[in-house]
Amino acid sequence: EYDGERNSEGERHGRGKARLPNGDTYDGEYEHGFRSGQGTYRFRNGACYTGKYLQNKKHGQGIFFYPDGSKYEGDWVNDQRHGYGVYTYANGDTYTGEWFNHNRHGQGTYVYKDTGAIYIGGWVNGNQEGEAELIYLNHRFKGKFLNGNPVGRGKYVFDTGCEQHGEYIQSEQDKGEVEEEEEPSLLVAPKWKASEITSLTLWTPHEENPPSPREVSVVVAAAAEAVEEREA
């Protein structure tokens, strides 16, 4: 059922309200029978979209509220999240960045609500991939990611004033006595292998001499302990 403006051809054209056969409702603008322009579409399952339409499809700026409490605010193209937008997840995490064909894709920032950690870097088809920086409360990791995991060479930078260089290596799984028909796990988290620790700045113009090796060793110990805590 439809209540609103029509053009001379009898098409829905202008402002109008409609109730669809499936129970969804739309309140907004029409052009030649299509939802086009600004409007609000309420789904029977509790979801709601408010934003731009083009020929019945979400297209342009809009906000989508999902049934689980999450929401997306940003660009839409041809009914898909595409362009730049902010997604707030049901658990409080947020992603701010580029989208392509409904997926996180390009450059973006993901904030983990529970830990306060922040991922800033590349995304490919929804997964963390490419050059990135993962920031924690008292240290950060700079390196590359693949399928959501760090991979290859990188470094940890600590607030204590040092850097731990190394690489993430795909560890071999200890299969042990495995039944023949039992499939080994394909997903094994890569292990961090440290190679060297260096100071961020060994000295400053205000100091006559750089710190002694003993002073640097204290910083090194603190760095190693922080990495062990993260892997625990």
Side-chain angles (χ1 to χ4, degrees), residues 112-196:
Y112 298 87
K113 184 173 184 277
D114 286 348
T115 63
I118 304 172
Y119 173 94
I120 303 173
W123 296 79
V124 175
N125 293 327
N127 294 317
Q128 296 170 345
E129 188 166 321
E131 295 282 345
E133 187 171 8
L134 189 55
I135 304 170
Y136 298 94
L137 293 178
N138 61 353
H139 66 286
R140 62 186 62 198
F141 171 76
K142 293 183 178 182
K144 289 185 178 179
F145 283 73
L146 182 65
N147 291 327
N149 287 313
V151 62
R153 295 196 61 79
K155 67 178 180 179
Y156 280 92
V157 182
F158 296 90
D159 291 353
T160 50
C162 69
E163 298 179 351
Q164 185 184 68
H165 300 258
E167 63 180 315
Y168 272 97
I169 299 172
Q170 192 66 44
S171 59
E172 289 292 325
Q173 190 178 25
D174 183 10
K175 296 181 178 62
E177 299 291 329
V178 181
E179 297 283 338
E180 284 187 10
E181 61 272 10
E182 187 180 331
E183 291 187 10
S185 174
L186 298 175
L187 298 174
V188 183
K191 295 289 186 182
W192 172 252
K193 181 181 179 183
S195 58
E196 65 171 338

Side-chain angles (χ1 to χ4, degrees), residues 12 20 26 29-37 41 49 52-59 78-79:
R12 299 177 183 182
L20 285 75
Y26 174 76
E29 298 174 332
Y30 284 87
E31 285 184 12
H32 300 291
F34 294 101
R35 295 187 296 274
S36 285
Y41 191 106
Y49 171 80
K52 293 287 188 179
Y53 273 93
L54 182 64
Q55 293 193 327
N56 282 353
K57 293 184 177 180
K58 297 181 285 290
H59 194 92
N78 200 27
D79 249 358

Side-chain angles (χ1 to χ4, degrees), residues 1-4 6 12 17-21 24-26 30:
E1 57 188 76
Y2 174 76
D3 177 21
R6 296 179 184 272
R12 299 177 183 182
K17 294 181 180 181
R19 177 177 292 276
L20 285 75
D24 296 350
T25 63
Y26 174 76
Y30 284 87

